[in-house]
Amino acid sequence: MSRKASALIALCCAVAGVALSACDEATESESSAEDRVAFTGTQKIKVGERSVNVSCAGDPVEGRPVVVLLHGGGDDVGKLAGLQNTLAAQGQVCSYDRLGAGASDQPDGPQSFESTGKILTGVIDRVAGGKPVVLAGHSLGGLIAGRYAPDHQDRVKGLVLMDATSPTQAADLRQHIPQSATGMAAELRDQTLAVIAGQGPEKLVVPDGEVRPAGTIPVEVIQHGKPYLAAVPEYGAALERAWSEGQRKWLALSARGNLSTAATSEHYIYVDQPDLAVRAIQRVTDEAAKSS
């Protein structure tokens, strides 16, 4: 396989969480009720028996939700640092490493949306206390945010999904890359399906499912505009169409959903077009503040 093909496989699989990268060292902090005050910098908190690496920047603003950033598969809080620091000019912004990522603990076994959601709840309790939050997730982080919000409408008052993993990714892959495929396409299919089955570093099992409504919260869905998946031989065009359809499915989260395209971005929209990502998150946070 060529170096270019291998790189593309790695990028596509990162959508579902194949790679794992390291994070900076942090200090230990218990997540007791007394500790639920704003902090800046990086701390390790306890969620149940697990140690979770959390990074925060900016000061709380009265009446404004706390923004919580969710990284993509294979990433960590370090990848989000630039976005977090820019957003911090408007208020408190936090991110965290999920179990199996960055400097957080490794999972004991397979994770589910329920178990990874409990970690997210623990982080929200620590950084936001009783304040509402806006979740902004990239790739797998967007998928987790989209699954979490419907069950936590009392806390989640806005969503920004940046090229979020399709809610039907497994079915999309099976439909558009047949088992008879060879080479790069076959590797992409097999590796991504393995990760979806819980064989990635986070051990998160990612079943397909319908998108459930999360109330009438503002939702921004941003999809990539540069068709990098089209480089997959023979099946690339179909994969791009399936990805776009997956983004449209996320609009079922809310009647106040909006879909836009980052024209010059590949998968990492907040890296390729950071100003666009910042404006979307600020817009949703502003709308959520007015509704709170």
Side-chain angles (χ1 to χ4, degrees):
M1 179 180 295
S2 69
R3 181 173 300 177
K4 179 181 179 181
S6 297
L8 183 63
I9 288 287
L11 177 58
C12 293
C13 289
V15 172
V18 170
L20 179 66
S21 54
C23 187
D24 293 337
E25 290 296 321
T27 58
E28 189 74 19
S29 174
E30 292 295 326
S31 184
S32 64
E34 299 81 35
D35 289 330
R36 289 172 189 170
V37 293
F39 69 89
T40 57
T42 303
Q43 291 187 5
K44 284 188 177 179
I45 69 170
K46 287 290 187 180
V47 180
E49 298 300 316
R50 315 305 293 164
S51 178
V52 180
N53 191 52
V54 181
S55 173
C56 289
D59 297 320
V61 175
E62 184 67 28
R64 189 172 181 82
V66 176
V67 175
V68 178
L69 306 176
L70 287 80
H71 62 75
D75 294 332
D76 58 26
V77 295
K79 187 78 174 182
L80 294 166
L83 177 63
Q84 179 170 297
N85 289 335
T86 300
L87 290 166
Q90 299 292 324
Q92 187 182 9
V93 187
C94 299
S95 56
Y96 72 105
D97 294 328
R98 294 187 296 274
L99 297 187
S104 290
D105 280 354
Q106 297 298 308
D108 292 331
Q111 295 197 85
S112 63
F113 284 131
E114 180 181 5
S115 63
T116 201
K118 288 180 179 178
I119 298 295
L120 176 53
T121 296
V123 171
I124 291 172
D125 286 346
R126 174 64 180 84
V127 302
K131 294 183 66 174
V133 298
V134 166
L135 302 181
H138 168 249
S139 193
L140 178 61
L143 173 65
I144 292 170
R147 295 296 193 208
Y148 181 87
D151 294 326
H152 299 85
Q153 297 181 37
D154 58 327
R155 303 294 300 279
V156 181
K157 300 303 180 182
L159 286 171
V160 179
L161 308 184
M162 296 173 283
D163 226 29
T165 301
S166 169
T168 55
Q169 188 183 37
D172 297 345
L173 281 170
R174 291 189 176 101
Q175 178 180 354
H176 296 293
I177 304 180
Q179 285 188 317
S180 59
T182 59
M184 179 182 177
E187 289 191 45
L188 171 61
R189 181 184 190 275
D190 294 346
Q191 290 184 27
T192 306
L193 289 176
V195 170
I196 289 171
Q199 298 175 32
E202 295 183 37
K203 299 182 181 178
L204 177 61
V205 179
V206 185
D208 287 351
E210 295 290 326
V211 176
R212 296 174 295 129
T216 57
I217 62 174
V219 176
E220 286 284 341
V221 179
I222 313 172
Q223 63 181 353
H224 68 259
K226 292 182 71 174
Y228 72 95
L229 292 171
V232 178
E234 189 176 352
Y235 307 106
L239 290 175
E240 283 289 348
R241 290 192 296 271
W243 189 264
S244 293
E245 178 58 30
Q247 303 308 295
R248 287 191 289 273
K249 290 174 182 176
W250 285 119
L251 293 176
L253 282 163
S254 173
R256 295 172 66 190
N258 178 64
L259 173 64
S260 61
T261 300
T264 61
S265 293
E266 293 189 353
H267 186 48
Y268 281 84
I269 291 169
Y270 66 91
V271 174
D272 293 339
Q273 291 184 257
D275 290 348
L276 185 151
V278 168
R279 287 195 300 270
I281 295 169
Q282 289 177 337
R283 184 165 55 249
V284 167
T285 307
D286 289 344
E287 291 183 28
K290 293 175 184 177
S291 302
S292 298

